[in-house]
Every structure is written in structure tokens, then in C-alpha cells.
PDB file of all heavy atoms in Angstrom:
ATOM      1  N   ALA A1197     123.716 242.318 119.770  1.00 96.00           N
ATOM      2  CA  ALA A1197     124.256 242.033 118.424  1.00 96.00           C
ATOM      3  C   ALA A1197     123.340 240.983 117.695  1.00 96.00           C
ATOM      4  O   ALA A1197     123.030 241.081 116.480  1.00 96.00           O
ATOM      5  CB  ALA A1197     125.621 241.402 118.516  1.00 96.00           C
ATOM      6  N   VAL A1198     122.851 239.958 118.471  1.00 96.00           N
ATOM      7  CA  VAL A1198     121.830 238.935 117.957  1.00 96.00           C
ATOM      8  C   VAL A1198     120.615 239.779 117.652  1.00 96.00           C
ATOM      9  O   VAL A1198     120.021 239.454 116.540  1.00 96.00           O
ATOM     10  CB  VAL A1198     121.683 237.908 118.845  1.00 96.00           C
ATOM     11  CG1 VAL A1198     120.433 236.897 118.379  1.00 96.00           C
ATOM     12  CG2 VAL A1198     122.904 237.022 119.068  1.00 96.00           C
ATOM     13  N   ALA A1199     120.086 240.546 118.524  1.00 96.00           N
ATOM     14  CA  ALA A1199     118.767 241.282 118.169  1.00 96.00           C
ATOM     15  C   ALA A1199     118.956 242.084 116.906  1.00 96.00           C
ATOM     16  O   ALA A1199     118.034 242.088 115.986  1.00 96.00           O
ATOM     17  CB  ALA A1199     118.432 242.107 119.378  1.00 96.00           C
ATOM     18  N   GLN A1200     120.029 242.869 116.842  1.00 97.00           N
ATOM     19  CA  GLN A1200     120.264 243.634 115.595  1.00 97.00           C
ATOM     20  C   GLN A1200     120.273 242.886 114.284  1.00 97.00           C
ATOM     21  O   GLN A1200     119.746 243.276 113.237  1.00 97.00           O
ATOM     22  CB  GLN A1200     121.485 244.506 115.711  1.00 97.00           C
ATOM     23  CG  GLN A1200     121.408 245.612 116.673  1.00 97.00           C
ATOM     24  CD  GLN A1200     122.783 246.317 116.960  1.00 97.00           C
ATOM     25  OE1 GLN A1200     123.822 245.838 116.460  1.00 97.00           O
ATOM     26  NE2 GLN A1200     122.669 247.469 117.527  1.00 97.00           N
ATOM     27  N   ARG A1201     120.852 241.671 114.388  1.00 95.00           N
ATOM     28  CA  ARG A1201     121.041 240.886 113.107  1.00 95.00           C
ATOM     29  C   ARG A1201     119.780 240.059 112.734  1.00 95.00           C
ATOM     30  O   ARG A1201     119.496 239.657 111.661  1.00 95.00           O
ATOM     31  CB  ARG A1201     122.267 239.877 113.232  1.00 95.00           C
ATOM     32  CG  ARG A1201     123.596 240.517 113.217  1.00 95.00           C
ATOM     33  CD  ARG A1201     124.103 240.710 111.777  1.00 95.00           C
ATOM     34  NE  ARG A1201     124.108 239.624 110.825  1.00 95.00           N
ATOM     35  CZ  ARG A1201     124.936 238.589 110.770  1.00 95.00           C
ATOM     36  NH1 ARG A1201     125.968 238.596 111.627  1.00 95.00           N
ATOM     37  NH2 ARG A1201     124.827 237.659 109.936  1.00 95.00           N
ATOM     38  N   THR A1202     118.987 239.615 113.884  1.00 95.00           N
ATOM     39  CA  THR A1202     117.888 238.667 113.653  1.00 95.00           C
ATOM     40  C   THR A1202     116.486 239.392 113.737  1.00 95.00           C
ATOM     41  O   THR A1202     115.539 238.837 113.296  1.00 95.00           O
ATOM     42  CB  THR A1202     118.001 237.517 114.564  1.00 95.00           C
ATOM     43  OG1 THR A1202     117.777 238.125 116.012  1.00 95.00           O
ATOM     44  CG2 THR A1202     119.273 236.826 114.435  1.00 95.00           C
ATOM     45  N   GLY A1203     116.424 240.442 114.521  1.00 94.00           N
ATOM     46  CA  GLY A1203     115.156 241.114 114.817  1.00 94.00           C
ATOM     47  C   GLY A1203     114.440 240.344 115.916  1.00 94.00           C
ATOM     48  O   GLY A1203     113.208 240.730 116.293  1.00 94.00           O
ATOM     49  N   LEU A1204     115.054 239.375 116.563  1.00 95.00           N
ATOM     50  CA  LEU A1204     114.483 238.618 117.725  1.00 95.00           C
ATOM     51  C   LEU A1204     114.434 239.551 118.942  1.00 95.00           C
ATOM     52  O   LEU A1204     115.320 240.397 119.128  1.00 95.00           O
ATOM     53  CB  LEU A1204     115.267 237.440 118.028  1.00 95.00           C
ATOM     54  CG  LEU A1204     115.228 236.326 117.007  1.00 95.00           C
ATOM     55  CD1 LEU A1204     116.217 235.124 117.436  1.00 95.00           C
ATOM     56  CD2 LEU A1204     113.790 235.706 116.797  1.00 95.00           C
ATOM     57  N   ASP A1205     113.499 239.298 119.787  1.00 94.00           N
ATOM     58  CA  ASP A1205     113.370 240.064 121.043  1.00 94.00           C
ATOM     59  C   ASP A1205     114.452 239.688 121.968  1.00 94.00           C
ATOM     60  O   ASP A1205     114.855 238.573 122.115  1.00 94.00           O
ATOM     61  CB  ASP A1205     111.943 239.600 121.714  1.00 94.00           C
ATOM     62  CG  ASP A1205     111.793 240.156 123.004  1.00 94.00           C
ATOM     63  OD1 ASP A1205     111.548 241.433 123.114  1.00 94.00           O
ATOM     64  OD2 ASP A1205     111.887 239.448 124.080  1.00 94.00           O
ATOM     65  N   ALA A1206     114.986 240.705 122.656  1.00 95.00           N
ATOM     66  CA  ALA A1206     116.201 240.542 123.451  1.00 95.00           C
ATOM     67  C   ALA A1206     115.826 239.539 124.634  1.00 95.00           C
ATOM     68  O   ALA A1206     116.767 238.866 124.906  1.00 95.00           O
ATOM     69  CB  ALA A1206     116.506 241.911 124.129  1.00 95.00           C
ATOM     70  N   GLY A1207     114.696 239.562 125.113  1.00 95.00           N
ATOM     71  CA  GLY A1207     114.323 238.545 126.142  1.00 95.00           C
ATOM     72  C   GLY A1207     114.324 237.164 125.699  1.00 95.00           C
ATOM     73  O   GLY A1207     114.810 236.214 126.376  1.00 95.00           O
ATOM     74  N   MET A1208     114.029 236.957 124.536  1.00 95.00           N
ATOM     75  CA  MET A1208     113.970 235.681 123.815  1.00 95.00           C
ATOM     76  C   MET A1208     115.464 235.207 123.680  1.00 95.00           C
ATOM     77  O   MET A1208     115.851 234.051 123.912  1.00 95.00           O
ATOM     78  CB  MET A1208     113.281 235.602 122.531  1.00 95.00           C
ATOM     79  CG  MET A1208     113.208 234.278 121.869  1.00 95.00           C
ATOM     80  SD  MET A1208     112.508 234.357 120.194  1.00 95.00           S
ATOM     81  CE  MET A1208     110.784 234.798 120.522  1.00 95.00           C
ATOM     82  N   ILE A1209     116.239 236.164 123.200  1.00 95.00           N
ATOM     83  CA  ILE A1209     117.620 235.906 122.923  1.00 95.00           C
ATOM     84  C   ILE A1209     118.336 235.421 124.270  1.00 95.00           C
ATOM     85  O   ILE A1209     119.180 234.471 124.333  1.00 95.00           O
ATOM     86  CB  ILE A1209     118.313 237.016 122.335  1.00 95.00           C
ATOM     87  CG1 ILE A1209     117.798 237.195 120.998  1.00 95.00           C
ATOM     88  CG2 ILE A1209     119.905 236.750 122.263  1.00 95.00           C
ATOM     89  CD1 ILE A1209     118.171 238.589 120.314  1.00 95.00           C
ATOM     90  N   GLN A1210     118.019 236.187 125.387  1.00 95.00           N
ATOM     91  CA  GLN A1210     118.546 235.969 126.659  1.00 95.00           C
ATOM     92  C   GLN A1210     118.192 234.490 127.081  1.00 95.00           C
ATOM     93  O   GLN A1210     119.119 233.871 127.684  1.00 95.00           O
ATOM     94  CB  GLN A1210     118.029 236.952 127.664  1.00 95.00           C
ATOM     95  CG  GLN A1210     118.739 236.906 128.995  1.00 95.00           C
ATOM     96  CD  GLN A1210     119.899 237.923 129.019  1.00 95.00           C
ATOM     97  OE1 GLN A1210     119.996 238.842 128.291  1.00 95.00           O
ATOM     98  NE2 GLN A1210     120.833 237.494 129.826  1.00 95.00           N
ATOM     99  N   GLN A1211     116.992 234.059 126.762  1.00 95.00           N
ATOM    100  CA  GLN A1211     116.586 232.629 127.078  1.00 95.00           C
ATOM    101  C   GLN A1211     117.318 231.659 126.199  1.00 95.00           C
ATOM    102  O   GLN A1211     117.501 230.590 126.634  1.00 95.00           O
ATOM    103  CB  GLN A1211     115.060 232.519 126.961  1.00 95.00           C
ATOM    104  CG  GLN A1211     114.241 233.301 128.013  1.00 95.00           C
ATOM    105  CD  GLN A1211     112.734 233.274 127.670  1.00 95.00           C
ATOM    106  OE1 GLN A1211     112.291 232.622 126.815  1.00 95.00           O
ATOM    107  NE2 GLN A1211     112.026 233.979 128.464  1.00 95.00           N
ATOM    108  N   MET A1212     117.614 232.084 124.999  1.00 95.00           N
ATOM    109  CA  MET A1212     118.277 231.067 124.039  1.00 95.00           C
ATOM    110  C   MET A1212     119.767 230.911 124.298  1.00 95.00           C
ATOM    111  O   MET A1212     120.243 229.812 124.007  1.00 95.00           O
ATOM    112  CB  MET A1212     117.976 231.622 122.636  1.00 95.00           C
ATOM    113  CG  MET A1212     116.607 231.562 122.116  1.00 95.00           C
ATOM    114  SD  MET A1212     116.388 232.333 120.574  1.00 95.00           S
ATOM    115  CE  MET A1212     116.780 230.992 119.407  1.00 95.00           C
ATOM    116  N   LEU A1213     120.394 231.971 124.835  1.00 96.00           N
ATOM    117  CA  LEU A1213     121.821 231.916 125.059  1.00 96.00           C
ATOM    118  C   LEU A1213     122.305 230.616 125.843  1.00 96.00           C
ATOM    119  O   LEU A1213     123.235 229.998 125.467  1.00 96.00           O
ATOM    120  CB  LEU A1213     122.367 233.146 125.848  1.00 96.00           C
ATOM    121  CG  LEU A1213     122.648 234.318 124.945  1.00 96.00           C
ATOM    122  CD1 LEU A1213     123.153 235.424 125.755  1.00 96.00           C
ATOM    123  CD2 LEU A1213     123.577 233.987 123.765  1.00 96.00           C
ATOM    124  N   PRO A1214     121.600 230.143 126.865  1.00 97.00           N
ATOM    125  CA  PRO A1214     122.131 228.915 127.598  1.00 97.00           C
ATOM    126  C   PRO A1214     122.034 227.756 126.810  1.00 97.00           C
ATOM    127  O   PRO A1214     122.494 226.673 127.171  1.00 97.00           O
ATOM    128  CB  PRO A1214     121.181 228.931 128.819  1.00 97.00           C
ATOM    129  CG  PRO A1214     120.653 230.200 129.023  1.00 97.00           C
ATOM    130  CD  PRO A1214     120.536 230.910 127.681  1.00 97.00           C
ATOM    131  N   ILE A1215     121.361 227.785 125.641  1.00 95.00           N
ATOM    132  CA  ILE A1215     121.318 226.613 124.702  1.00 95.00           C
ATOM    133  C   ILE A1215     122.301 226.903 123.623  1.00 95.00           C
ATOM    134  O   ILE A1215     123.176 225.960 123.214  1.00 95.00           O
ATOM    135  CB  ILE A1215     119.926 226.391 124.105  1.00 95.00           C
ATOM    136  CG1 ILE A1215     118.896 226.221 125.329  1.00 95.00           C
ATOM    137  CG2 ILE A1215     119.884 225.262 123.159  1.00 95.00           C
ATOM    138  CD1 ILE A1215     117.525 226.329 124.900  1.00 95.00           C
ATOM    139  N   LEU A1216     122.408 228.087 123.065  1.00 95.00           N
ATOM    140  CA  LEU A1216     123.265 228.407 121.937  1.00 95.00           C
ATOM    141  C   LEU A1216     124.731 228.172 122.274  1.00 95.00           C
ATOM    142  O   LEU A1216     125.452 227.676 121.500  1.00 95.00           O
ATOM    143  CB  LEU A1216     122.934 229.775 121.394  1.00 95.00           C
ATOM    144  CG  LEU A1216     121.603 229.967 120.746  1.00 95.00           C
ATOM    145  CD1 LEU A1216     121.408 231.445 120.398  1.00 95.00           C
ATOM    146  CD2 LEU A1216     121.585 229.149 119.422  1.00 95.00           C
ATOM    147  N   VAL A1217     125.193 228.743 123.458  1.00 96.00           N
ATOM    148  CA  VAL A1217     126.606 228.633 123.765  1.00 96.00           C
ATOM    149  C   VAL A1217     127.034 227.208 123.916  1.00 96.00           C
ATOM    150  O   VAL A1217     128.036 226.846 123.315  1.00 96.00           O
ATOM    151  CB  VAL A1217     126.856 229.500 125.049  1.00 96.00           C
ATOM    152  CG1 VAL A1217     128.278 229.248 125.620  1.00 96.00           C
ATOM    153  CG2 VAL A1217     126.649 230.997 124.750  1.00 96.00           C
ATOM    154  N   PRO A1218     126.378 226.379 124.745  1.00 95.00           N
ATOM    155  CA  PRO A1218     126.791 224.941 124.741  1.00 95.00           C
ATOM    156  C   PRO A1218     126.845 224.275 123.300  1.00 95.00           C
ATOM    157  O   PRO A1218     127.630 223.403 123.073  1.00 95.00           O
ATOM    158  CB  PRO A1218     125.809 224.284 125.697  1.00 95.00           C
ATOM    159  CG  PRO A1218     125.227 225.338 126.527  1.00 95.00           C
ATOM    160  CD  PRO A1218     125.300 226.586 125.650  1.00 95.00           C
ATOM    161  N   LEU A1219     125.906 224.568 122.495  1.00 93.00           N
ATOM    162  CA  LEU A1219     125.935 224.052 121.154  1.00 93.00           C
ATOM    163  C   LEU A1219     127.137 224.419 120.384  1.00 93.00           C
ATOM    164  O   LEU A1219     127.734 223.498 119.701  1.00 93.00           O
ATOM    165  CB  LEU A1219     124.645 224.515 120.388  1.00 93.00           C
ATOM    166  CG  LEU A1219     123.276 223.833 120.668  1.00 93.00           C
ATOM    167  CD1 LEU A1219     122.244 224.458 119.886  1.00 93.00           C
ATOM    168  CD2 LEU A1219     123.345 222.346 120.469  1.00 93.00           C
ATOM    169  N   VAL A1220     127.544 225.719 120.439  1.00 92.00           N
ATOM    170  CA  VAL A1220     128.734 226.066 119.712  1.00 92.00           C
ATOM    171  C   VAL A1220     129.881 225.296 120.403  1.00 92.00           C
ATOM    172  O   VAL A1220     130.705 224.787 119.533  1.00 92.00           O
ATOM    173  CB  VAL A1220     128.986 227.582 119.847  1.00 92.00           C
ATOM    174  CG1 VAL A1220     130.350 228.038 119.354  1.00 92.00           C
ATOM    175  CG2 VAL A1220     127.891 228.402 119.109  1.00 92.00           C
ATOM    176  N   LEU A1221     129.966 225.146 121.676  1.00 94.00           N
ATOM    177  CA  LEU A1221     131.091 224.407 122.272  1.00 94.00           C
ATOM    178  C   LEU A1221     131.068 222.938 121.924  1.00 94.00           C
ATOM    179  O   LEU A1221     132.128 222.385 121.765  1.00 94.00           O
ATOM    180  CB  LEU A1221     131.105 224.706 123.812  1.00 94.00           C
ATOM    181  CG  LEU A1221     131.179 226.152 124.300  1.00 94.00           C
ATOM    182  CD1 LEU A1221     131.069 226.172 125.851  1.00 94.00           C
ATOM    183  CD2 LEU A1221     132.587 226.720 123.835  1.00 94.00           C
ATOM    184  N   ASN A1222     129.901 222.452 121.869  1.00 91.00           N
ATOM    185  CA  ASN A1222     129.727 221.027 121.570  1.00 91.00           C
ATOM    186  C   ASN A1222     130.278 220.823 120.175  1.00 91.00           C
ATOM    187  O   ASN A1222     130.922 219.780 119.888  1.00 91.00           O
ATOM    188  CB  ASN A1222     128.258 220.597 121.582  1.00 91.00           C
ATOM    189  CG  ASN A1222     128.106 218.990 121.652  1.00 91.00           C
ATOM    190  OD1 ASN A1222     128.978 218.350 121.597  1.00 91.00           O
ATOM    191  ND2 ASN A1222     126.853 218.662 121.679  1.00 91.00           N
ATOM    192  N   PHE A1223     129.975 221.707 119.160  1.00 87.00           N
ATOM    193  CA  PHE A1223     130.431 221.595 117.842  1.00 87.00           C
ATOM    194  C   PHE A1223     131.979 221.594 117.841  1.00 87.00           C
ATOM    195  O   PHE A1223     132.586 220.850 117.218  1.00 87.00           O
ATOM    196  CB  PHE A1223     129.894 222.772 116.984  1.00 87.00           C
ATOM    197  CG  PHE A1223     129.768 222.507 115.627  1.00 87.00           C
ATOM    198  CD1 PHE A1223     128.929 221.516 115.073  1.00 87.00           C
ATOM    199  CD2 PHE A1223     130.476 223.349 114.717  1.00 87.00           C
ATOM    200  CE1 PHE A1223     128.777 221.349 113.661  1.00 87.00           C
ATOM    201  CE2 PHE A1223     130.362 223.086 113.311  1.00 87.00           C
ATOM    202  CZ  PHE A1223     129.522 222.104 112.818  1.00 87.00           C
ATOM    203  N   LEU A1224     132.590 222.481 118.719  1.00 88.00           N
ATOM    204  CA  LEU A1224     134.025 222.527 118.752  1.00 88.00           C
ATOM    205  C   LEU A1224     134.646 221.385 119.418  1.00 88.00           C
ATOM    206  O   LEU A1224     135.806 221.028 119.098  1.00 88.00           O
ATOM    207  CB  LEU A1224     134.426 223.824 119.489  1.00 88.00           C
ATOM    208  CG  LEU A1224     133.967 225.129 118.949  1.00 88.00           C
ATOM    209  CD1 LEU A1224     134.317 226.323 119.930  1.00 88.00           C
ATOM    210  CD2 LEU A1224     134.539 225.372 117.590  1.00 88.00           C
ATOM    211  N   GLN A1225     133.932 220.624 120.230  1.00 88.00           N
ATOM    212  CA  GLN A1225     134.484 219.524 120.905  1.00 88.00           C
ATOM    213  C   GLN A1225     134.622 218.345 120.004  1.00 88.00           C
ATOM    214  O   GLN A1225     135.388 217.403 120.311  1.00 88.00           O
ATOM    215  CB  GLN A1225     133.548 219.096 122.133  1.00 88.00           C
ATOM    216  CG  GLN A1225     134.197 218.103 123.072  1.00 88.00           C
ATOM    217  CD  GLN A1225     133.301 217.832 124.174  1.00 88.00           C
ATOM    218  OE1 GLN A1225     132.077 217.737 124.082  1.00 88.00           O
ATOM    219  NE2 GLN A1225     133.883 217.489 125.347  1.00 88.00           N
ATOM    220  N   THR A1226     134.051 218.378 118.779  1.00 85.00           N
ATOM    221  CA  THR A1226     134.183 217.277 117.871  1.00 85.00           C
ATOM    222  C   THR A1226     135.628 216.844 117.637  1.00 85.00           C
ATOM    223  O   THR A1226     135.961 215.789 117.221  1.00 85.00           O
ATOM    224  CB  THR A1226     133.456 217.538 116.519  1.00 85.00           C
ATOM    225  OG1 THR A1226     133.992 218.731 115.906  1.00 85.00           O
ATOM    226  CG2 THR A1226     131.927 217.623 116.706  1.00 85.00           C
ATOM    227  N   GLY A1227     136.514 217.843 117.692  1.00 81.00           N
ATOM    228  CA  GLY A1227     137.958 217.687 117.308  1.00 81.00           C
ATOM    229  C   GLY A1227     138.690 217.259 118.383  1.00 81.00           C
ATOM    230  O   GLY A1227     140.010 217.017 118.254  1.00 81.00           O
ATOM    231  N   THR A1228     138.216 217.108 119.595  1.00 80.00           N
ATOM    232  CA  THR A1228     139.054 216.762 120.810  1.00 80.00           C
ATOM    233  C   THR A1228     139.536 215.347 120.648  1.00 80.00           C
ATOM    234  O   THR A1228     138.816 214.440 120.198  1.00 80.00           O
ATOM    235  CB  THR A1228     138.139 216.861 122.100  1.00 80.00           C
ATOM    236  OG1 THR A1228     137.623 218.163 122.234  1.00 80.00           O
ATOM    237  CG2 THR A1228     138.941 216.522 123.350  1.00 80.00           C
ATOM    238  N   THR A1229     140.864 215.183 120.925  1.00 75.00           N
ATOM    239  CA  THR A1229     141.448 213.928 120.859  1.00 75.00           C
ATOM    240  C   THR A1229     141.709 213.368 122.258  1.00 75.00           C
ATOM    241  O   THR A1229     141.873 214.132 123.217  1.00 75.00           O
ATOM    242  CB  THR A1229     142.834 213.971 120.088  1.00 75.00           C
ATOM    243  OG1 THR A1229     143.720 214.750 120.783  1.00 75.00           O
ATOM    244  CG2 THR A1229     142.616 214.490 118.740  1.00 75.00           C
ATOM    245  N   SER A1230     141.748 212.074 122.333  1.00 65.00           N
ATOM    246  CA  SER A1230     142.071 211.467 123.631  1.00 65.00           C
ATOM    247  C   SER A1230     143.561 211.330 123.943  1.00 65.00           C
ATOM    248  O   SER A1230     144.058 211.127 124.989  1.00 65.00           O
ATOM    249  CB  SER A1230     141.394 210.099 123.846  1.00 65.00           C
ATOM    250  OG  SER A1230     141.742 209.316 122.661  1.00 65.00           O
ATOM    251  N   GLN A1231     144.352 211.372 122.737  1.00 62.00           N
ATOM    252  CA  GLN A1231     145.772 211.017 122.829  1.00 62.00           C
ATOM    253  C   GLN A1231     146.565 212.252 123.247  1.00 62.00           C
ATOM    254  O   GLN A1231     147.453 212.248 124.141  1.00 62.00           O
ATOM    255  CB  GLN A1231     146.308 210.579 121.524  1.00 62.00           C
ATOM    256  CG  GLN A1231     146.247 209.069 121.411  1.00 62.00           C
ATOM    257  CD  GLN A1231     144.819 208.625 121.247  1.00 62.00           C
ATOM    258  OE1 GLN A1231     144.018 209.205 120.685  1.00 62.00           O
ATOM    259  NE2 GLN A1231     144.551 207.336 121.587  1.00 62.00           N
TER     260      GLN A1231
END
């Protein structure tokens, strides 16, 4: 899906995923409350 939308090489995308997924999750963690 990423290759189709971006034109990036599948191997490059495979290498980027371990960075992209934690970034998305980090963005979502901003709303975590301690209470």
C-alpha cells in the first residue's frame, strides 16, 4: 500500500516500518493520562 501511494521501493519501506510504526504510536501516546 505504501509503495503504491508513494512510489518508494518495497525494500526501503520494509526498513522504514520499524521507525514509522513507533512514531504513529508515540503520537497516539500524547493523550495518555496518569489518572
Side-chain angles (χ1 to χ4, degrees):
V1198 172
Q1200 287 174 345
R1201 288 274 311 275
T1202 64
L1204 292 173
D1205 175 71
M1208 182 185 299
I1209 297 164
Q1210 192 87 29
Q1211 292 174 4
M1212 293 171 85
L1213 278 180
I1215 301 166
L1216 292 173
V1217 170
L1219 284 176
V1220 170
L1221 298 176
N1222 195 1
F1223 206 64
L1224 299 175
Q1225 193 177 35
T1226 60
T1228 302
T1229 62
S1230 54
Q1231 271 72 24

